[in-house]
Amino acid sequence: MAAGEPRRVGYLYVLPALAVYVAFLLFPLLHSAWISLFDWDGLTLGTWAGLDNYFTLFAEAGLRAAFGHALVLIVFFSILPVCLGLVLASALHRSRVRGLGFFRTVVFLPQVIAMVVVAVAWQQILAPDGPLNSALRALGLDAFAFNWLGEESTALIAVGLVGTWVQTGLTVVLFLAGIGRISGDLYEAARLDGAGVLREFRSVTLPALRPDIAVALTLTVISSLRTFDLVYVMTPLGGPGESTTVPAYEIYHRAFQSGQVGSAAAIGITLTVLVFALSAVVLRLAGGRR
Amino acid sequence: MTVSRWERVGTYVVLLLFAGYALYPVLWILLTAVRSDVPGQGGWHPENFLTAWTQGKFGSYLGTSLIVAVAVVALSALLSVLAGYAFGTMRFRGSGLLFYLLLLGVTIPSQAVVVPLYFDLRDVGLLDTYAALVLPQVAQSVAFGVFWMRAYFRSSSTSVVEAARLDGAGHWQILWRVLLPMGRPAVLTLVVLVFMWTWNEFLIALVMVTDEGLRTAPLGLRFFQGRATTSVPLLAAGSVLVALPVVVLYLFLQRHFIRGMLDGAVKG
């Protein structure tokens, strides 16, 4: 039913959803934009600050660091899972192995487990005397046994690797679905032309998966920008020496712990604009496929 | 397609390695949860779950989570079905604009709205209530739900609706008697996704509630972990309690889950 007939009663059907949406999502977003224009501690009367809170985003070293950490996390949450997903999905498709359903179920599992649980589990695994370090020592790799989450140099990487663990399943499943849509004829033709594994991957799989790759990149980048639970639970207080503060954590910290509500709101609005822009890109790219 | 034996064996090796990597933390948690609470002592200790349940107050946390999840799922499914039906089958002035306004909600991160929500709800005296836990999450789920249900109603067959109309059914009957019974798979997928999002939500529960009696399960785990006396096996047992409902649901409905996540994600 593409067009449907004109009916005023439609408004009544839409009204309840719209009311809740406006009251608890849209209005707070606009309110956030308003708050971001003030210097406000949440208690006393705020003072007008104009765009100062936004200028601070670039000027303040701590905040710049938070956005810098977000960029590092994007490598682990997005780039790495997409690369791994491409390799795994194309190898699986090529060899036509059995047990694909089981594999798909297993690698996707991290996506459905609460981030708090993921954080608690990995925190124990990465602990100074945890299983990872024990395994490294058993292999004689004592030099690589760190207090992963307790040292400034490794904490962010450790959080990032957990992100890789969470996101890879999503990319594998997404790419498997994408490869499934590629016509077998293309692969046959590549074979007849004498293409090897790499050649086949480069000239058949990769071009055909381009929309899926764009989708996967955007989704994982967005979720890395939104990362809060993982960082908050694995490295409380922003990690050793603030080495793991990210924008999402800064919002929470500023608004509810250090009384910089205006600045928190400005970070929130900036994050929303980023996420919105990326979503627009994915909608465009995904839409072009249909 | 011919693939050499070695390539196939290699693929199996990679596959097994990767499945192990994905499963290891999950298995580690499960095995740790039944280890002894006393370091060095061996054996099988399923009573950890009971200890965590009572000592960690997980009974109360899981109860709150269940109430919140059921309320959010029921409300957002109902509102999404109603609005999705109108957007999918009717035409009214501004319907396109209203739809895109709602769709915008899919992209709004909860970190951006949690700050003003806290102060707004404080002003109207709703902090530390179920409403503060439920309504913001309904708003976020509805944005996706309307989109999801509209797609279903749009694809539902025109001829079925025409026939029902000729039989004298009004728009209300067509929705409940004709289209919704046929749309059970679409609604089911929406329900499992919203349940998962609600159950796993952390930030909203962290900010909106200070009363321990209203803490949801993920938050309960965080506070359980924060206590110095907590042993690792008990913490693992608590983690299992928090993760289990969604994992069980996932294993039963994984086709719906994966399809819903991918479709929703791609379009949303």
Side-chain angles (χ1 to χ4, degrees):
Chain A
M1 183 171 300
E5 50 186 289
R7 279 177 179 277
R8 289 245 179 98
V9 73
Y11 293 112
L12 286 180
Y13 280 99
V14 171
L15 191 67
L18 208 60
V20 175
Y21 169 74
V22 168
F24 292 93
L25 204 57
L26 204 57
F27 173 73
L29 185 70
L30 296 175
H31 191 184
S32 189
W34 178 244
I35 293 177
S36 76
L37 303 176
F38 287 85
D39 202 3
W40 186 39
D41 61 7
L43 301 165
T44 54
L45 216 58
T47 51
W48 178 257
L51 291 175
D52 278 0
N53 285 324
Y54 290 92
F55 295 136
T56 315
L57 290 186
F58 302 99
E60 203 178 307
L63 264 181
R64 265 211 314 264
F67 278 93
H69 295 158
L71 288 181
V72 175
L73 287 188
I74 285 173
V75 174
F76 287 99
F77 277 64
S78 186
I79 315 275
L80 218 55
V82 165
C83 295
L84 279 171
L86 278 173
V87 172
L88 283 166
S90 52
L92 288 175
H93 179 73
R94 205 180 131 82
S95 299
R96 310 238 158 136
V97 292
R98 285 154 186 268
L100 206 61
F102 169 78
F103 180 75
R104 204 175 51 178
T105 307
V106 164
V107 297
F108 200 74
L109 188 62
Q111 285 280 324
V112 308
I113 297 176
M115 274 297 182
V116 190
V117 175
V118 169
V120 165
W122 278 98
Q123 204 176 22
Q124 301 300 330
I125 291 171
L126 296 168
D129 293 319
L132 178 67
N133 282 340
S134 305
L136 287 171
R137 289 194 191 102
L139 291 170
L141 296 168
D142 297 55
F144 291 97
F146 300 112
N147 176 9
W148 292 94
L149 295 169
E151 280 168 34
E152 279 191 42
S153 53
T154 53
L156 191 65
I157 295 172
V159 171
L161 287 172
V162 178
T164 311
W165 178 76
V166 171
Q167 301 290 13
T168 303
L170 177 75
T171 63
V172 170
V173 173
L174 198 59
F175 294 152
L176 274 177
I179 293 181
R181 276 193 305 269
I182 303 174
S183 149
D185 297 351
L186 282 175
Y187 285 105
E188 295 290 346
R191 291 293 161 92
L192 287 176
D193 287 349
V197 180
L198 285 179
R199 188 65 215 263
E200 187 184 286
F201 177 75
R202 225 183 49 210
S203 36
V204 180
T205 312
L206 210 53
L209 278 185
R210 193 168 291 167
D212 303 272
I213 294 169
V215 168
L217 277 175
T218 319
L219 286 177
T220 49
V221 167
I222 289 173
S223 79
S224 101
L225 285 175
R226 290 179 172 185
T227 297
F228 173 77
D229 330 15
L230 205 58
V231 171
Y232 180 75
V233 176
M234 283 182 75
T235 57
L237 306 175
E242 305 201 331
S243 54
T244 63
T245 59
V246 289
Y249 174 79
E250 282 294 325
I251 295 174
Y252 175 77
H253 176 70
R254 276 162 198 254
F256 302 111
Q257 290 168 336
S258 72
Q260 297 171 271
V261 182
S263 166
I267 304 172
I269 294 298
T270 308
L271 209 57
T272 309
V273 171
L274 270 175
V275 170
F276 180 67
L278 287 168
S279 305
V281 172
V282 83
L283 208 63
R284 227 200 156 94
L285 291 169
R289 192 173 57 194
R290 276 151 221 268
Chain B
M1 201 193 285
T2 50
V3 175
S4 83
R5 173 183 299 244
W6 286 112
E7 194 184 333
R8 191 174 296 229
V9 170
T11 310
Y12 272 115
V13 170
V14 171
L15 201 134
L16 281 175
L17 278 177
F18 206 80
Y21 164 68
L23 268 184
Y24 176 73
V26 180
L27 293 177
W28 186 84
I29 277 269
L30 276 173
L31 291 176
T32 307
V34 291
R35 260 206 322 245
S36 171
D37 199 5
V38 185
Q41 191 185 319
W44 178 254
H45 295 269
E47 76 275 5
N48 283 343
F49 289 103
L50 208 70
T51 316
W53 182 276
T54 48
Q55 204 178 316
K57 303 197 185 90
F58 277 101
S60 150
Y61 301 145
L62 291 168
T64 306
S65 269
L66 194 66
I67 293 173
V68 171
V70 168
V72 171
V73 166
L75 264 174
S76 35
L78 178 69
L79 301 187
S80 306
V81 164
L82 292 176
Y85 174 55
F87 284 125
T89 65
M90 301 173 191
R91 210 172 36 181
F92 43 93
R93 198 181 263 274
S95 61
L97 189 71
L98 285 178
F99 174 70
Y100 284 111
L101 190 70
L102 265 164
L103 189 58
L104 189 68
V106 177
T107 62
I108 302 175
S110 50
Q111 289 102 10
V113 289
V114 78
V115 174
L117 262 177
Y118 171 83
F119 291 102
D120 293 340
L121 292 175
R122 188 188 66 179
D123 291 347
V124 294
L126 278 179
L127 284 186
D128 269 324
T129 62
Y130 279 108
L133 288 171
V134 170
L135 293 171
Q137 300 200 65
V138 173
Q140 298 213 321
S141 307
V142 150
F144 169 77
V146 170
F147 169 78
W148 183 255
M149 290 317 300
R150 182 186 88 135
Y152 161 70
F153 286 116
R154 274 177 82 123
S155 68
S156 63
S157 133
T158 319
S159 55
V160 176
V161 178
E162 292 298 326
R165 230 171 241 153
L166 286 177
D167 285 345
H171 50 85
W172 189 248
Q173 280 99 340
I174 291 178
L175 170 60
W176 295 105
R177 300 252 177 87
V178 183
L179 290 179
L180 209 54
M182 283 165 37
R184 214 171 284 158
V187 178
L188 180 71
T189 303
L190 179 64
V191 163
V192 293
L193 286 178
V194 173
F195 178 82
M196 175 186 82
W197 290 331
T198 311
W199 190 272
N200 293 348
E201 170 63 45
F202 184 78
L203 183 62
I204 289 177
L206 175 69
V207 171
M208 299 302 165
V209 161
T210 49
D211 179 1
E212 200 185 280
L214 278 178
R215 257 179 216 158
T216 56
L219 216 61
L221 184 64
R222 168 77 182 94
F223 280 90
F224 189 48
Q225 179 209 33
R227 271 183 250 152
T229 50
T230 309
S231 79
V232 174
L234 288 185
L235 189 59
S239 305
V240 172
L241 292 175
V242 173
L244 203 62
V246 178
V247 170
V248 169
L249 199 69
Y250 167 67
L251 293 179
F252 274 110
L253 300 170
Q254 46 110 355
R255 276 170 202 285
H256 286 282
F257 244 105
I258 291 182
R259 191 176 65 94
M261 288 278 280
L262 295 185
D263 282 10
V266 170
K267 293 174 195 156

